[in-house]
Amino acid sequence: MEKKDNRGLLRLLSTVLLSLVLLGVYYFSMSFSFFPFVMFGYMIAEAVLVVVYVCYNRAFSWRGVSEDMLPEKWDAEKKSGFLAECKERQRRSQWMLVAIISFLVTFICEALLLFLLPLVK
């Protein structure tokens, strides 16, 4: 049980650290002529990660599915194997969520600065 808690904390710390690095690179690159490449690179990376994450997890179509909802022609071993594989896919793809959330933090910060900061002034 304790190992699972450490993984969650590690994922959280990784997300925060990667978010800070991505924000730093983004705002540092604003001073240079290659900024549009960084901005579009971030957008492309975010889009690709989201598509790969959803496709890899089979569009989460297995969520809420129990063994009795699977085809009757499958034996119990195949049903439990399918559900176990889906959970394993979700576990293995958690690293993508770290990157997805980190890029999203960058976009949210930029949106706040672009749209809310002028309203405050």
Side-chain angles (χ1 to χ4, degrees):
M1 190 80 175
E2 187 177 321
K3 191 175 187 179
K4 194 177 232 183
D5 293 339
N6 288 341
R7 285 187 198 156
L9 182 61
L10 180 63
R11 243 181 274 117
L12 177 66
L13 290 174
S14 299
T15 303
V16 169
L17 183 63
L18 185 58
S19 295
L20 290 173
V21 168
L22 289 173
L23 275 168
V25 169
Y26 183 83
Y27 286 112
F28 177 75
S29 68
M30 284 181 150
S31 305
F32 299 98
S33 61
F34 60 84
F35 171 70
F37 296 110
V38 173
M39 182 180 60
F40 287 116
Y42 276 30
M43 286 187 236
I44 291 168
E46 177 75 4
V48 167
L49 280 169
V50 168
V51 168
V52 169
Y53 182 77
V54 171
C55 289
Y56 183 75
N57 284 297
R58 298 178 178 160
F60 304 101
S61 60
W62 55 270
R63 288 231 169 177
V65 174
S66 61
E67 284 190 26
D68 59 327
M69 298 169 98
L70 294 172
E72 291 181 17
K73 58 184 173 184
W74 288 7
D75 59 357
E77 184 178 312
K78 186 171 182 176
K79 289 179 181 182
S80 63
F82 174 79
L83 293 174
E85 180 190 354
C86 291
K87 289 185 190 284
E88 181 64 18
R89 281 175 175 261
Q90 186 177 14
R91 187 193 65 76
R92 283 185 286 176
S93 64
Q94 286 178 344
W95 67 269
M96 282 188 263
L97 274 181
V98 170
I100 289 168
I101 292 169
S102 297
F103 279 112
L104 196 59
V105 165
T106 303
F107 296 135
I108 290 170
C109 288
E110 184 62 15
L112 290 174
L113 286 174
L114 283 173
F115 299 114
L116 289 183
L117 193 61
L119 295 176
V120 176
K121 288 183 178 182

